[in-house]
Amino acid sequence: MKENQLHPADAKVSALLRQSRAAPSLPPRFQQNVWRRIEDAEAPASQPSWLDALAALILRPRFALAAATALVLAGVFMGALDGRHQARHEAQANYLASVAPHSLR
Amino acid sequence: MNRSLIILLGALALGAAIFAGSYFASQRATVMCCTNPADDLSWLRDEFHLGDAEMARIHALHEGYLPKCAEMCAKIAAKKIELDNVLDNRTNVTAEVQAKLDELAALRAECQAQMLQHFVEVSQTMPAEQGRRYLAEMQKLTLGAHEQMEQSMSSDTAHEHHH
């Protein structure tokens, strides 16, 4: 504790240092601006844009999982339909090639 | 760039990749499971909903027709070679070229008649409605291609004549 107590000479030096430090002049309407910033900080957050809302929705695990599942199911369904059509077409071409040579078509 | 926009674009790209992956995998799997390249007649069975008895009769007809078809194809191929040899270094249609063209056309006509006869026989082994549909489909797929080409050529010619 003894070490923490200032020596009278130190106090003097401190006072001199405080005096030597130039106090900068505050910008105009400093106080008003400080209060405005405090009010802004305390005000409720502004509404997010539709893009932010959509991004937040996409990042929700439940939504992401549902969307991925829907996409997989849609892809499988449409792929199977197209594959069936393609398989039918290939089978038809196969039959046609066996009974009707290209030179006759 | 805006963070939300990056997330949205990334999600769209990922979604497109997921959809495309499932689509092509499913398409490939369906084609592989539903086609049998070794079976020429699988299309008939599926398209015309034929039973085993009908398929057995069609199979016998098909097996009987294939050697005749192959023989005609060989004759046509040989005639084409003859025509090519006659055409070599010729700048005009000579009587010999015309004769080869006539012979080739006659062979093709004979082959087409044989093919149509086979289609008629196959159609008669099917139920009436399916048989009619089969015959119409086969005529469209074989002779129809020629008709389409001739029609397109005649319309092209008419178009040119109008000019």
Side-chain angles (χ1 to χ4, degrees):
Chain A
M1 283 301 283
K2 268 189 177 177
E3 285 173 5
N4 288 343
Q5 284 175 349
L6 283 175
H7 195 270
D10 291 341
K12 231 176 192 175
V13 171
S14 294
L16 279 171
L17 278 171
R18 256 197 307 273
Q19 280 173 5
S20 68
R21 225 178 265 152
S25 59
L26 294 174
R29 302 160 72 97
F30 174 78
Q31 208 170 358
Q32 202 178 340
N33 286 338
V34 168
W35 278 113
R36 192 174 51 76
R37 288 179 72 171
I38 290 169
E39 280 168 7
D40 285 352
E42 286 177 350
S46 59
Q47 286 291 315
S49 70
W50 66 269
L51 199 65
D52 296 332
L54 195 59
L57 183 70
I58 287 167
L59 290 177
R60 274 191 210 162
R62 198 177 279 186
F63 176 84
L65 191 68
T69 309
L71 284 170
V72 167
L73 289 177
V76 166
F77 178 72
M78 290 176 77
L81 275 185
D82 192 40
R84 210 160 156 255
H85 184 257
Q86 206 175 315
R88 183 181 166 271
H89 189 76
E90 277 182 27
Q92 186 194 56
N94 204 19
Y95 174 69
L96 210 56
S98 73
V99 292
H102 268 291
S103 60
L104 294 182
R105 283 188 257 155
Chain B
M1 202 192 272
N2 188 348
R3 181 176 169 269
S4 300
L5 191 62
I6 292 170
I7 291 170
L8 196 65
L9 291 176
L12 280 175
L14 189 66
I18 289 172
F19 178 80
S22 342
Y23 178 88
F24 287 115
S26 168
Q27 186 201 43
R28 213 54 251 152
T30 309
V31 169
M32 279 170 73
C33 93
C34 297
T35 50
N36 181 7
D39 184 6
D40 292 340
L41 305 180
S42 64
W43 175 68
L44 287 182
R45 184 197 304 271
D46 298 337
E47 183 68 24
F48 300 99
H49 315 291
L50 302 176
D52 287 343
E54 288 150 344
M55 281 309 293
R57 287 200 299 272
I58 290 174
H59 200 268
L61 283 172
H62 188 71
E63 290 301 316
Y65 167 74
L66 286 183
K68 292 185 219 163
C69 180
E71 189 188 338
M72 288 307 296
C73 283
K75 282 184 186 172
I76 290 172
K79 196 56 72 183
K80 272 182 177 172
I81 292 170
E82 285 176 27
L83 178 65
D84 286 344
N85 291 338
V86 173
L87 280 172
D88 262 353
N89 303 320
R90 296 279 167 86
T91 52
N92 57 350
V93 180
T94 61
E96 195 182 4
V97 171
Q98 185 60 56
K100 290 294 172 196
L101 281 171
D102 290 345
E103 286 166 22
L104 186 60
L107 274 176
R108 278 186 175 145
E110 191 185 338
C111 190
Q112 277 182 330
Q114 190 177 284
M115 182 179 73
L116 284 176
Q117 181 57 39
H118 173 68
F119 293 157
V120 169
E121 285 169 9
V122 170
S123 75
Q124 285 168 351
T125 65
M126 296 180 182
E129 181 52 38
Q130 304 290 40
R132 269 195 293 276
R133 194 160 70 84
Y134 166 80
L135 205 53
E137 182 85 2
M138 294 317 290
Q139 283 174 1
K140 187 186 84 184
L141 289 171
T142 53
L143 307 180
H146 272 296
E147 281 168 17
Q148 274 179 4
M149 194 172 71
E150 283 157 10
Q151 275 172 6
S152 72
M153 285 178 79
S154 63
S155 64
D156 284 352
T157 315
H159 192 246
E160 278 171 20
H161 285 183
H162 283 301
H163 283 287

